[in-house]
Amino acid sequence: QQQVKQSPQSLIVQKGGISIINCAYENTAFDYFPWYQQFPGKGPALLIAIRPDVSEKKEGRFTISFNKSAKQFSLHIMDSQPGDSATYFCAAKSGGYQKVTFGTGTKLQVIP
Amino acid sequence: NAGVTQTPKFQVLKTGQSMTLQCAQDMNHNSMYWYRQDPGMGLRLIYYSASEGTTDKGEVPNGYNVSRLNKREFSLRLESAAPSQTSVYFCASSDGDGISGANVLTFGAGSRLTVL
């Protein structure tokens, strides 16, 4: 059972465009929602994260939007660049536990 | 500044063989994890260790065993490898307290395992 559902599986965006990746969850005990970025041949690395008491968090060109009532959160990449081409994973952690559950990933390609 | 170190980086096994993937972290983190990454499946948790001396099953523990040797090291063992265990394996560590709040995972570079 996939606890964190992620879409789309792949995404092609023109340079300068906006990339949007969506995730949905069912477990209301989740209390921390990070996004990880993975380049080919490397391990994932934390990109940005949000707690459920905040509706939006922005770091540079990267923004997380969080909708607690809909149990959805999304990553927006503004002014997308070829260097942003990578696989992006949303994730969630349950309060009181160390276990982190990941979505299935989105492969982003930014074309010049 | 090594972070999380995994060995080996590549391994080819025959069905039924056994092997151990090694992982060590130098960040004094309490928690360590083993994930496997397969196309279209994302990262799936195999086992994790919230602190030294404890281990817990994740989503896909069957066919694997783990040992938290000390605070630094967390190994993953395949007792009788099967082709379905062909995957890229990632070890990670974190210093989250597990009670509430952030839990930032630091990943190793991965170990690519092929079972023939």
Side-chain angles (χ1 to χ4, degrees), chain B residues 7-47:
Chain B
T7 55
K9 293 191 185 306
F10 301 93
Q11 184 72 48
V12 179
L13 291 177
K14 294 182 180 178
T15 297
Q17 287 185 319
S18 62
M19 77 157 300
T20 300
L21 298 175
Q22 306 285 355
C23 176
Q25 53 93 6
D26 62 1
M27 296 169 286
N28 201 36
H29 284 170
N30 288 319
S31 303
M32 298 186 73
Y33 309 76
W34 277 104
Y35 287 88
R36 60 177 289 175
Q37 183 174 16
D38 303 289
M41 303 294 288
L43 291 155
R44 292 181 293 170
L45 183 63
I46 305 171
Y47 272 93

mmCIF file of all heavy atoms in Angstrom, chain B residues 7-47:
data_model
loop_
_atom_site.group_PDB
_atom_site.id
_atom_site.type_symbol
_atom_site.label_atom_id
_atom_site.label_comp_id
_atom_site.label_asym_id
_atom_site.label_seq_id
_atom_site.Cartn_x
_atom_site.Cartn_y
_atom_site.Cartn_z
ATOM 1 N N THR B 7 29.607 0.164 1.179
ATOM 2 C CA THR B 7 30.432 -0.762 0.391
ATOM 3 C C THR B 7 29.718 -2.097 0.255
ATOM 4 O O THR B 7 29.001 -2.515 1.180
ATOM 5 C CB THR B 7 31.805 -0.999 1.054
ATOM 6 O OG1 THR B 7 31.604 -1.456 2.394
ATOM 7 C CG2 THR B 7 32.644 0.263 1.051
ATOM 8 N N PRO B 8 29.873 -2.797 -0.882
ATOM 9 C CA PRO B 8 30.551 -2.342 -2.094
ATOM 10 C C PRO B 8 29.650 -1.428 -2.920
ATOM 11 O O PRO B 8 28.468 -1.305 -2.646
ATOM 12 C CB PRO B 8 30.811 -3.651 -2.841
ATOM 13 C CG PRO B 8 29.622 -4.490 -2.487
ATOM 14 C CD PRO B 8 29.303 -4.157 -1.047
ATOM 15 N N LYS B 9 30.180 -0.807 -3.946
ATOM 16 C CA LYS B 9 29.387 0.030 -4.847
ATOM 17 C C LYS B 9 28.665 -0.818 -5.887
ATOM 18 O O LYS B 9 27.583 -0.452 -6.345
ATOM 19 C CB LYS B 9 30.270 1.047 -5.547
ATOM 20 C CG LYS B 9 30.855 2.101 -4.620
ATOM 21 C CD LYS B 9 31.497 3.225 -5.390
ATOM 22 C CE LYS B 9 32.192 4.221 -4.471
ATOM 23 N NZ LYS B 9 31.315 4.728 -3.425
ATOM 24 N N PHE B 10 29.268 -1.907 -6.283
ATOM 25 C CA PHE B 10 28.675 -2.810 -7.265
ATOM 26 C C PHE B 10 28.918 -4.252 -6.822
ATOM 27 O O PHE B 10 29.969 -4.555 -6.263
ATOM 28 C CB PHE B 10 29.291 -2.628 -8.663
ATOM 29 C CG PHE B 10 29.149 -1.242 -9.221
ATOM 30 C CD1 PHE B 10 30.148 -0.310 -9.043
ATOM 31 C CD2 PHE B 10 28.002 -0.881 -9.908
ATOM 32 C CE1 PHE B 10 30.018 0.972 -9.557
ATOM 33 C CE2 PHE B 10 27.864 0.400 -10.426
ATOM 34 C CZ PHE B 10 28.866 1.322 -10.243
ATOM 35 N N GLN B 11 27.950 -5.123 -7.079
ATOM 36 C CA GLN B 11 28.102 -6.530 -6.745
ATOM 37 C C GLN B 11 27.198 -7.354 -7.653
ATOM 38 O O GLN B 11 26.048 -6.977 -7.886
ATOM 39 C CB GLN B 11 27.751 -6.785 -5.285
ATOM 40 C CG GLN B 11 27.973 -8.206 -4.808
ATOM 41 C CD GLN B 11 29.445 -8.547 -4.659
ATOM 42 O OE1 GLN B 11 30.213 -7.800 -4.061
ATOM 43 N NE2 GLN B 11 29.850 -9.678 -5.207
ATOM 44 N N VAL B 12 27.736 -8.452 -8.150
ATOM 45 C CA VAL B 12 26.942 -9.411 -8.914
ATOM 46 C C VAL B 12 26.946 -10.730 -8.155
ATOM 47 O O VAL B 12 28.004 -11.227 -7.775
ATOM 48 C CB VAL B 12 27.507 -9.626 -10.336
ATOM 49 C CG1 VAL B 12 26.665 -10.660 -11.083
ATOM 50 C CG2 VAL B 12 27.525 -8.313 -11.110
ATOM 51 N N LEU B 13 25.760 -11.262 -7.917
ATOM 52 C CA LEU B 13 25.608 -12.512 -7.181
ATOM 53 C C LEU B 13 24.856 -13.522 -8.030
ATOM 54 O O LEU B 13 24.083 -13.145 -8.926
ATOM 55 C CB LEU B 13 24.803 -12.296 -5.904
ATOM 56 C CG LEU B 13 25.403 -11.497 -4.769
ATOM 57 C CD1 LEU B 13 24.368 -11.360 -3.648
ATOM 58 C CD2 LEU B 13 26.657 -12.159 -4.240
ATOM 59 N N LYS B 14 25.051 -14.782 -7.716
ATOM 60 C CA LYS B 14 24.211 -15.825 -8.291
ATOM 61 C C LYS B 14 23.086 -16.132 -7.309
ATOM 62 O O LYS B 14 23.227 -15.956 -6.088
ATOM 63 C CB LYS B 14 25.037 -17.074 -8.552
ATOM 64 C CG LYS B 14 26.109 -16.883 -9.634
ATOM 65 C CD LYS B 14 26.865 -18.162 -9.877
ATOM 66 C CE LYS B 14 27.922 -17.962 -10.965
ATOM 67 N NZ LYS B 14 28.715 -19.202 -11.201
ATOM 68 N N THR B 15 21.970 -16.570 -7.838
ATOM 69 C CA THR B 15 20.834 -16.943 -6.989
ATOM 70 C C THR B 15 21.288 -17.928 -5.914
ATOM 71 O O THR B 15 21.983 -18.902 -6.201
ATOM 72 C CB THR B 15 19.731 -17.582 -7.847
ATOM 73 O OG1 THR B 15 19.250 -16.618 -8.791
ATOM 74 C CG2 THR B 15 18.573 -18.041 -6.987
ATOM 75 N N GLY B 16 20.893 -17.623 -4.669
ATOM 76 C CA GLY B 16 21.232 -18.493 -3.551
ATOM 77 C C GLY B 16 22.474 -18.071 -2.783
ATOM 78 O O GLY B 16 22.674 -18.526 -1.648
ATOM 79 N N GLN B 17 23.291 -17.218 -3.375
ATOM 80 C CA GLN B 17 24.473 -16.745 -2.661
ATOM 81 C C GLN B 17 24.079 -15.748 -1.587
ATOM 82 O O GLN B 17 23.004 -15.141 -1.640
ATOM 83 C CB GLN B 17 25.468 -16.107 -3.635
ATOM 84 C CG GLN B 17 26.194 -17.115 -4.511
ATOM 85 C CD GLN B 17 27.254 -16.461 -5.375
ATOM 86 O OE1 GLN B 17 27.067 -15.378 -5.948
ATOM 87 N NE2 GLN B 17 28.390 -17.126 -5.493
ATOM 88 N N SER B 18 24.969 -15.556 -0.633
ATOM 89 C CA SER B 18 24.721 -14.584 0.428
ATOM 90 C C SER B 18 25.749 -13.463 0.344
ATOM 91 O O SER B 18 26.823 -13.633 -0.236
ATOM 92 C CB SER B 18 24.795 -15.261 1.796
ATOM 93 O OG SER B 18 26.098 -15.782 2.006
ATOM 94 N N MET B 19 25.375 -12.337 0.887
ATOM 95 C CA MET B 19 26.305 -11.223 0.949
ATOM 96 C C MET B 19 25.817 -10.193 1.969
ATOM 97 O O MET B 19 24.642 -10.200 2.353
ATOM 98 C CB MET B 19 26.484 -10.550 -0.401
ATOM 99 C CG MET B 19 25.363 -9.639 -0.810
ATOM 100 S SD MET B 19 25.883 -8.395 -2.016
ATOM 101 C CE MET B 19 27.145 -7.511 -1.122
ATOM 102 N N THR B 20 26.739 -9.352 2.391
ATOM 103 C CA THR B 20 26.428 -8.284 3.342
ATOM 104 C C THR B 20 26.836 -6.947 2.757
ATOM 105 O O THR B 20 27.950 -6.786 2.264
ATOM 106 C CB THR B 20 27.162 -8.507 4.675
ATOM 107 O OG1 THR B 20 26.744 -9.758 5.234
ATOM 108 C CG2 THR B 20 26.848 -7.389 5.651
ATOM 109 N N LEU B 21 25.892 -6.005 2.791
ATOM 110 C CA LEU B 21 26.175 -4.617 2.424
ATOM 111 C C LEU B 21 26.540 -3.871 3.704
ATOM 112 O O LEU B 21 25.830 -3.956 4.708
ATOM 113 C CB LEU B 21 24.963 -3.965 1.762
ATOM 114 C CG LEU B 21 24.496 -4.588 0.449
ATOM 115 C CD1 LEU B 21 23.217 -3.916 -0.034
ATOM 116 C CD2 LEU B 21 25.575 -4.471 -0.618
ATOM 117 N N GLN B 22 27.649 -3.138 3.631
ATOM 118 C CA GLN B 22 28.123 -2.422 4.800
ATOM 119 C C GLN B 22 27.800 -0.935 4.698
ATOM 120 O O GLN B 22 27.807 -0.363 3.604
ATOM 121 C CB GLN B 22 29.650 -2.592 4.939
ATOM 122 C CG GLN B 22 30.140 -4.015 4.948
ATOM 123 C CD GLN B 22 29.864 -4.744 6.251
ATOM 124 O OE1 GLN B 22 29.381 -4.160 7.218
ATOM 125 N NE2 GLN B 22 30.165 -6.036 6.269
ATOM 126 N N CYS B 23 27.517 -0.324 5.830
ATOM 127 C CA CYS B 23 27.223 1.110 5.881
ATOM 128 C C CYS B 23 27.816 1.690 7.151
ATOM 129 O O CYS B 23 27.652 1.101 8.230
ATOM 130 C CB CYS B 23 25.723 1.352 5.844
ATOM 131 S SG CYS B 23 25.254 3.092 6.018
ATOM 132 N N ALA B 24 28.472 2.840 7.018
ATOM 133 C CA ALA B 24 29.025 3.526 8.179
ATOM 134 C C ALA B 24 28.799 5.024 8.025
ATOM 135 O O ALA B 24 28.908 5.559 6.924
ATOM 136 C CB ALA B 24 30.515 3.232 8.327
ATOM 137 N N GLN B 25 28.481 5.677 9.152
ATOM 138 C CA GLN B 25 28.301 7.141 9.144
ATOM 139 C C GLN B 25 29.188 7.750 10.216
ATOM 140 O O GLN B 25 29.393 7.175 11.272
ATOM 141 C CB GLN B 25 26.812 7.515 9.328
ATOM 142 C CG GLN B 25 26.138 6.885 10.530
ATOM 143 C CD GLN B 25 26.144 7.716 11.786
ATOM 144 O OE1 GLN B 25 26.574 8.887 11.785
ATOM 145 N NE2 GLN B 25 25.648 7.145 12.888
ATOM 146 N N ASP B 26 29.666 8.961 9.901
ATOM 147 C CA ASP B 26 30.586 9.632 10.832
ATOM 148 C C ASP B 26 30.001 10.920 11.374
ATOM 149 O O ASP B 26 30.738 11.833 11.761
ATOM 150 C CB ASP B 26 31.929 9.881 10.143
ATOM 151 C CG ASP B 26 31.826 10.804 8.944
ATOM 152 O OD1 ASP B 26 30.707 11.279 8.644
ATOM 153 O OD2 ASP B 26 32.854 11.041 8.284
ATOM 154 N N MET B 27 28.664 11.027 11.402
ATOM 155 C CA MET B 27 27.997 12.252 11.836
ATOM 156 C C MET B 27 27.387 12.115 13.230
ATOM 157 O O MET B 27 26.635 12.992 13.658
ATOM 158 C CB MET B 27 26.915 12.609 10.810
ATOM 159 C CG MET B 27 27.506 12.933 9.441
ATOM 160 S SD MET B 27 26.258 13.058 8.157
ATOM 161 C CE MET B 27 25.846 11.341 7.933
ATOM 162 N N ASN B 28 27.664 11.009 13.902
ATOM 163 C CA ASN B 28 27.135 10.760 15.239
ATOM 164 C C ASN B 28 25.595 10.726 15.256
ATOM 165 O O ASN B 28 24.963 11.122 16.242
ATOM 166 C CB ASN B 28 27.642 11.791 16.252
ATOM 167 C CG ASN B 28 27.539 11.282 17.683
ATOM 168 O OD1 ASN B 28 27.738 10.108 17.965
ATOM 169 N ND2 ASN B 28 27.225 12.179 18.605
ATOM 170 N N HIS B 29 25.009 10.260 14.151
ATOM 171 C CA HIS B 29 23.557 10.176 14.063
ATOM 172 C C HIS B 29 23.032 8.979 14.851
ATOM 173 O O HIS B 29 23.673 7.918 14.900
ATOM 174 C CB HIS B 29 23.114 10.051 12.604
ATOM 175 C CG HIS B 29 23.196 11.343 11.856
ATOM 176 N ND1 HIS B 29 23.031 11.410 10.477
ATOM 177 C CD2 HIS B 29 23.382 12.616 12.279
ATOM 178 C CE1 HIS B 29 23.130 12.674 10.100
ATOM 179 N NE2 HIS B 29 23.350 13.416 11.169
ATOM 180 N N ASN B 30 21.842 9.139 15.410
ATOM 181 C CA ASN B 30 21.235 8.044 16.157
ATOM 182 C C ASN B 30 20.581 7.012 15.259
ATOM 183 O O ASN B 30 20.619 5.817 15.529
ATOM 184 C CB ASN B 30 20.174 8.582 17.121
ATOM 185 C CG ASN B 30 20.790 9.315 18.295
ATOM 186 O OD1 ASN B 30 21.795 8.880 18.848
ATOM 187 N ND2 ASN B 30 20.192 10.431 18.662
ATOM 188 N N SER B 31 19.928 7.467 14.188
ATOM 189 C CA SER B 31 19.102 6.577 13.373
ATOM 190 C C SER B 31 19.768 6.238 12.053
ATOM 191 O O SER B 31 20.428 7.072 11.441
ATOM 192 C CB SER B 31 17.749 7.242 13.089
ATOM 193 O OG SER B 31 17.108 7.568 14.291
ATOM 194 N N MET B 32 19.559 4.991 11.620
ATOM 195 C CA MET B 32 20.095 4.540 10.335
ATOM 196 C C MET B 32 19.045 3.711 9.614
ATOM 197 O O MET B 32 18.167 3.110 10.240
ATOM 198 C CB MET B 32 21.384 3.751 10.532
ATOM 199 C CG MET B 32 22.499 4.591 11.165
ATOM 200 S SD MET B 32 24.093 3.780 11.262
ATOM 201 C CE MET B 32 24.611 3.813 9.522
ATOM 202 N N TYR B 33 19.134 3.704 8.286
ATOM 203 C CA TYR B 33 18.094 3.125 7.443
ATOM 204 C C TYR B 33 18.708 2.377 6.271
ATOM 205 O O TYR B 33 19.775 2.751 5.784
ATOM 206 C CB TYR B 33 17.202 4.228 6.845
ATOM 207 C CG TYR B 33 16.655 5.216 7.835
ATOM 208 C CD1 TYR B 33 17.461 6.214 8.368
ATOM 209 C CD2 TYR B 33 15.318 5.159 8.234
ATOM 210 C CE1 TYR B 33 16.947 7.124 9.269
ATOM 211 C CE2 TYR B 33 14.811 6.069 9.129
ATOM 212 C CZ TYR B 33 15.634 7.054 9.649
ATOM 213 O OH TYR B 33 15.122 7.955 10.545
ATOM 214 N N TRP B 34 17.971 1.385 5.763
ATOM 215 C CA TRP B 34 18.281 0.774 4.473
ATOM 216 C C TRP B 34 17.042 0.871 3.587
ATOM 217 O O TRP B 34 15.943 0.448 3.973
ATOM 218 C CB TRP B 34 18.672 -0.696 4.621
ATOM 219 C CG TRP B 34 20.105 -0.887 4.984
ATOM 220 C CD1 TRP B 34 20.619 -1.225 6.194
ATOM 221 C CD2 TRP B 34 21.236 -0.764 4.108
ATOM 222 N NE1 TRP B 34 21.979 -1.311 6.132
ATOM 223 C CE2 TRP B 34 22.384 -1.029 4.869
ATOM 224 C CE3 TRP B 34 21.369 -0.442 2.751
ATOM 225 C CZ2 TRP B 34 23.679 -1.001 4.323
ATOM 226 C CZ3 TRP B 34 22.645 -0.411 2.201
ATOM 227 C CH2 TRP B 34 23.783 -0.691 2.994
ATOM 228 N N TYR B 35 17.242 1.445 2.398
ATOM 229 C CA TYR B 35 16.194 1.546 1.385
ATOM 230 C C TYR B 35 16.656 0.801 0.128
ATOM 231 O O TYR B 35 17.841 0.687 -0.148
ATOM 232 C CB TYR B 35 15.945 3.002 0.983
ATOM 233 C CG TYR B 35 15.217 3.837 2.002
ATOM 234 C CD1 TYR B 35 15.905 4.525 2.998
ATOM 235 C CD2 TYR B 35 13.823 3.966 1.948
ATOM 236 C CE1 TYR B 35 15.227 5.302 3.920
ATOM 237 C CE2 TYR B 35 13.144 4.741 2.873
ATOM 238 C CZ TYR B 35 13.854 5.404 3.854
ATOM 239 O OH TYR B 35 13.180 6.181 4.763
ATOM 240 N N ARG B 36 15.673 0.370 -0.657
ATOM 241 C CA ARG B 36 15.980 -0.108 -1.993
ATOM 242 C C ARG B 36 15.238 0.754 -2.995
ATOM 243 O O ARG B 36 14.123 1.248 -2.716
ATOM 244 C CB ARG B 36 15.625 -1.588 -2.179
ATOM 245 C CG ARG B 36 14.188 -1.972 -1.980
ATOM 246 C CD ARG B 36 13.962 -3.451 -2.269
ATOM 247 N NE ARG B 36 14.060 -3.776 -3.689
ATOM 248 C CZ ARG B 36 14.004 -4.997 -4.203
ATOM 249 N NH1 ARG B 36 13.863 -6.047 -3.402
ATOM 250 N NH2 ARG B 36 14.094 -5.196 -5.508
ATOM 251 N N GLN B 37 15.871 1.000 -4.133
ATOM 252 C CA GLN B 37 15.280 1.839 -5.172
ATOM 253 C C GLN B 37 15.122 1.035 -6.448
ATOM 254 O O GLN B 37 16.097 0.508 -6.990
ATOM 255 C CB GLN B 37 16.143 3.078 -5.442
ATOM 256 C CG GLN B 37 15.524 4.010 -6.473
ATOM 257 C CD GLN B 37 16.304 5.300 -6.638
ATOM 258 O OE1 GLN B 37 17.450 5.425 -6.235
ATOM 259 N NE2 GLN B 37 15.667 6.297 -7.225
ATOM 260 N N ASP B 38 13.898 0.940 -6.917
ATOM 261 C CA ASP B 38 13.580 0.223 -8.143
ATOM 262 C C ASP B 38 12.780 1.145 -9.065
ATOM 263 O O ASP B 38 11.995 1.967 -8.577
ATOM 264 C CB ASP B 38 12.757 -1.031 -7.827
ATOM 265 C CG ASP B 38 13.462 -1.947 -6.852
ATOM 266 O OD1 ASP B 38 14.455 -2.567 -7.276
ATOM 267 O OD2 ASP B 38 13.053 -2.019 -5.687
ATOM 268 N N PRO B 39 12.949 1.014 -10.372
ATOM 269 C CA PRO B 39 12.234 1.888 -11.322
ATOM 270 C C PRO B 39 10.728 1.845 -11.093
ATOM 271 O O PRO B 39 10.129 0.774 -11.005
ATOM 272 C CB PRO B 39 12.611 1.281 -12.677
ATOM 273 C CG PRO B 39 13.910 0.605 -12.448
ATOM 274 C CD PRO B 39 13.841 0.066 -11.051
ATOM 275 N N GLY B 40 10.125 3.026 -10.991
ATOM 276 C CA GLY B 40 8.682 3.125 -10.815
ATOM 277 C C GLY B 40 8.184 2.830 -9.415
ATOM 278 O O GLY B 40 6.991 2.967 -9.146
ATOM 279 N N MET B 41 9.092 2.405 -8.522
ATOM 280 C CA MET B 41 8.686 2.043 -7.152
ATOM 281 C C MET B 41 9.191 3.039 -6.123
ATOM 282 O O MET B 41 8.812 2.979 -4.953
ATOM 283 C CB MET B 41 9.214 0.647 -6.809
ATOM 284 C CG MET B 41 8.778 -0.438 -7.755
ATOM 285 S SD MET B 41 7.008 -0.727 -7.704
ATOM 286 C CE MET B 41 6.853 -1.539 -6.115
ATOM 287 N N GLY B 42 10.047 3.935 -6.532
ATOM 288 C CA GLY B 42 10.590 4.901 -5.583
ATOM 289 C C GLY B 42 11.559 4.259 -4.612
ATOM 290 O O GLY B 42 12.206 3.255 -4.914
ATOM 291 N N LEU B 43 11.643 4.836 -3.434
ATOM 292 C CA LEU B 43 12.503 4.329 -2.368
ATOM 293 C C LEU B 43 11.629 3.604 -1.354
ATOM 294 O O LEU B 43 10.713 4.191 -0.781
ATOM 295 C CB LEU B 43 13.236 5.488 -1.679
ATOM 296 C CG LEU B 43 14.287 6.198 -2.513
ATOM 297 C CD1 LEU B 43 14.493 7.613 -2.016
ATOM 298 C CD2 LEU B 43 15.589 5.426 -2.463
ATOM 299 N N ARG B 44 11.924 2.349 -1.146
ATOM 300 C CA ARG B 44 11.141 1.570 -0.195
ATOM 301 C C ARG B 44 12.021 1.152 0.976
ATOM 302 O O ARG B 44 13.117 0.643 0.796
ATOM 303 C CB ARG B 44 10.533 0.343 -0.878
ATOM 304 C CG ARG B 44 9.461 0.686 -1.903
ATOM 305 C CD ARG B 44 8.860 -0.555 -2.530
ATOM 306 N NE ARG B 44 9.838 -1.270 -3.344
ATOM 307 C CZ ARG B 44 9.637 -2.484 -3.846
ATOM 308 N NH1 ARG B 44 8.512 -3.133 -3.597
ATOM 309 N NH2 ARG B 44 10.567 -3.055 -4.598
ATOM 310 N N LEU B 45 11.493 1.368 2.183
ATOM 311 C CA LEU B 45 12.253 1.106 3.393
ATOM 312 C C LEU B 45 12.304 -0.395 3.674
ATOM 313 O O LEU B 45 11.276 -1.061 3.733
ATOM 314 C CB LEU B 45 11.610 1.854 4.570
ATOM 315 C CG LEU B 45 12.305 1.754 5.911
ATOM 316 C CD1 LEU B 45 13.691 2.377 5.858
ATOM 317 C CD2 LEU B 45 11.447 2.435 6.983
ATOM 318 N N ILE B 46 13.513 -0.899 3.879
ATOM 319 C CA ILE B 46 13.693 -2.322 4.181
ATOM 320 C C ILE B 46 13.701 -2.525 5.697
ATOM 321 O O ILE B 46 12.893 -3.266 6.250
ATOM 322 C CB ILE B 46 15.007 -2.850 3.565
ATOM 323 C CG1 ILE B 46 15.047 -2.580 2.052
ATOM 324 C CG2 ILE B 46 15.154 -4.352 3.830
ATOM 325 C CD1 ILE B 46 16.397 -2.865 1.422
ATOM 326 N N TYR B 47 14.636 -1.880 6.358
ATOM 327 C CA TYR B 47 14.767 -1.908 7.807
ATOM 328 C C TYR B 47 15.294 -0.553 8.253
ATOM 329 O O TYR B 47 15.940 0.162 7.492
ATOM 330 C CB TYR B 47 15.779 -2.979 8.248
ATOM 331 C CG TYR B 47 15.226 -4.359 8.477
ATOM 332 C CD1 TYR B 47 15.245 -5.306 7.449
ATOM 333 C CD2 TYR B 47 14.714 -4.736 9.714
ATOM 334 C CE1 TYR B 47 14.758 -6.588 7.656
ATOM 335 C CE2 TYR B 47 14.221 -6.017 9.934
ATOM 336 C CZ TYR B 47 14.244 -6.939 8.887
ATOM 337 O OH TYR B 47 13.760 -8.214 9.101
#
